C-alpha cells in the first residue's frame, strides 16, 4: 500500500483538527469572559444568585462625578468609540462561548460531508472550507451583538439597566423580558428555527452549496436559524446581568440541552412555563 503524503494524512484527520480548533476557540472565549472581557470590572462582583435582580443593590460606581450636589454616575451617553468596541467584543465573545458548543455538531457534520463528497469525486477542492462555514455562523452572532450593544446603551441611557451590574433595575423590564422569553418558547418561529438546529444533517442536505462561498452562505443561514431560536433567551441577560456568570452558564446549558438532547424541545417548553411564572412573580414581589 502506498503511503499517503503528509498533507493527505492531515486531511484524513480533519475531524480531530476541527474539533480541537472549536474547543480552543470556545475555551479562550470563556477565559476572556471570566477575566472581565477587558472592561476593567470584576466579573465575580457582577455575578449574583438572586432571583429578582432588580432588587439587587450595588455600591457607588468608582467613576462618579461631583457637581456640588449628590454624587451622580456618568451618563451612558459618555460612551466613547473604545467603549462601544469593548462592548461589542464582550457580547460577541460571549456568544462564541455560549453558542459554539451547540453549533459544533453541524460544523463537524459539514466537514465530514465535504470529505465524503470529495471521496466520491463530486468535488475537486480537497480542502473542506470548514472555517468559512464557522465564520458565517459567527458573523451572524456578530450582527446580533451589534444590536444587543445598541439596546444595552439605550436601556442604560433611560436608567432601567445598571451601568455597574449591566442588569435590570426595573421590575417592569424584568417581568416583561421573562414573560416574553417564556412565551417565545412556544412560538411557531422558535419551533421552526429549533427544528433546523436539531437536525443538522437535514439542514445540510437542503441548503448544500459547494465551495468556500457556499460554506459561508450555509454558515450564515445556520446562524440565522440559531439566532431565531435563541435570541429571547439571550435577552434574559438584560435581566440577570450581561456579565453575570451564573446566568451565562445556565443559558448556555439550556441552549445545549434544547438543541442536542432528545427531550430538549419539551425541556424548553417546561422552561417557558417557569419563565412566565417567574415574570408574574417579579411583578408581585
Amino acid at each position: 500500500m502506498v503511503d499517503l503524503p503528509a498533507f493527505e494524512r492531515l486531511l484524513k484527520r480533519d475531524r480531530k483538527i476541527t474539533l480541537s480548533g472549536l474547543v480552543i476557540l470556545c475555551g479562550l472565549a470563556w477565559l476572556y469572559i471570566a477575566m472581565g472581557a477587558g472592561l476593567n470590572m470584576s466579573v465575580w462582583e457582577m455575578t449574583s444568585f438572586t432571583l429578582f435582580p432588580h432588587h439587587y443593590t450595588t455600591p457607588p460606581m468608582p467613576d462618579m462625578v461631583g457637581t456640588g450636589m449628590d454624587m451622580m454616575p456618568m451618563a451612558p451617553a459618555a460612551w466613547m468609540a473604545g467603549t462601544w468596541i469593548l462592548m461589542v467584543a464582550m457580547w460577541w465573545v460571549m456568544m462564541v462561548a455560549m453558542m459554539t458548543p451547540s453549533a459544533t455538531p453541524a460544523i463537524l457534520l459539514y466537514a465530514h460531508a465535504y470529505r465524503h463528497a470529495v471521496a466520491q469525486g463530486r468535488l475537486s477542492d480537497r480542502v473542506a472550507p470548514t472555517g468559512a462555514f464557522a465564520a458565517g455562523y459567527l458573523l451572524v452572532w456578530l450582527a446580533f451583538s451589534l444590536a444587543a450593544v445598541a439596546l444595552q446603551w439605550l436601556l442604560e441611557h433611560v436608567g432601567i439597566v445598571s451601568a455597574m451590574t449591566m442588569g435590570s433595575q426595573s421590575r417592569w423590564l424584568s417581568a416583561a423580558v421573562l414573560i416574553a422569553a417564556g412565551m417565545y418558547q412556544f412560538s411557531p418561529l422558535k419551533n421552526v428555527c429549533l427544528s433546523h438546529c436539531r437536525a443538522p444533517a437535514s439542514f445540510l442536505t437542503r441548503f448544500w452549496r459547494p465551495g468556500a462561498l457556499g460554506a459561508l452562505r450555509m454558515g450564515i443561514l445556520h446562524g440565522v436559524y440559531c439566532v431565531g431560536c435563541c435570541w429571547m433567551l439571550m435577552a434574559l441577560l438584560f435581566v440577570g446581568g450581561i456579565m453575570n456568570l451564573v446566568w451565562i452558564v445556565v443559558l448556555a446549558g439550556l441552549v445545549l440541552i434544547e438543541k442536542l438532547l432528545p427531550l430538549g424541545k419539551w425541556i424548553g417548553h417546561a422552561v417557558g412555563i417557569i419563565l412566565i411564572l417567574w415574570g408574574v412573580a417579579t411583578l408581585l414581589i
Side-chain angles (χ1 to χ4, degrees), residues 173-231:
L173 174 64
S174 297
V177 175
L178 285 165
I179 293 173
M183 294 177 65
Y184 190 72
Q185 291 294 99
F186 301 94
S187 72
L189 179 59
K190 164 85 176 190
N191 290 332
V192 169
C193 293
L194 182 59
S195 65
H196 283 286
C197 294
R198 287 175 58 85
S202 176
F203 171 84
L204 292 176
T205 299
R206 181 176 178 183
F207 299 107
W208 181 267
R209 294 292 187 279
L213 287 179
L216 182 67
R217 178 185 181 277
M218 285 188 290
I220 289 173
L221 186 57
H222 188 62
V224 169
Y225 281 123
C226 192
V227 170
C229 172
C230 304
W231 72 279

Side-chain angles (χ1 to χ4, degrees), residues 36 49 80 83 85 92 103 127 166 174 180 194 203 224 227 237 263 266 280:
F49 296 88
M80 300 300 179
T83 305
I85 292 172
W92 193 26
V127 180
M166 300 184 189
S174 297
L194 182 59
F203 171 84
V224 169
V227 170
L237 292 170
L263 295 178
W266 303 108
V280 173

Side-chain angles (χ1 to χ4, degrees), residues 49-54 178 239 247 278 282:
F49 296 88
T50 178
L51 291 175
F52 304 103
H54 64 281
L178 285 165
V239 177
W247 285 64
W278 190 354
T282 298

Side-chain angles (χ1 to χ4, degrees), residues 134-151:
Y137 178 83
L138 296 178
L139 281 174
V140 175
W141 281 107
L142 173 58
F144 172 86
S145 299
L146 290 169
V149 170
L151 180 59

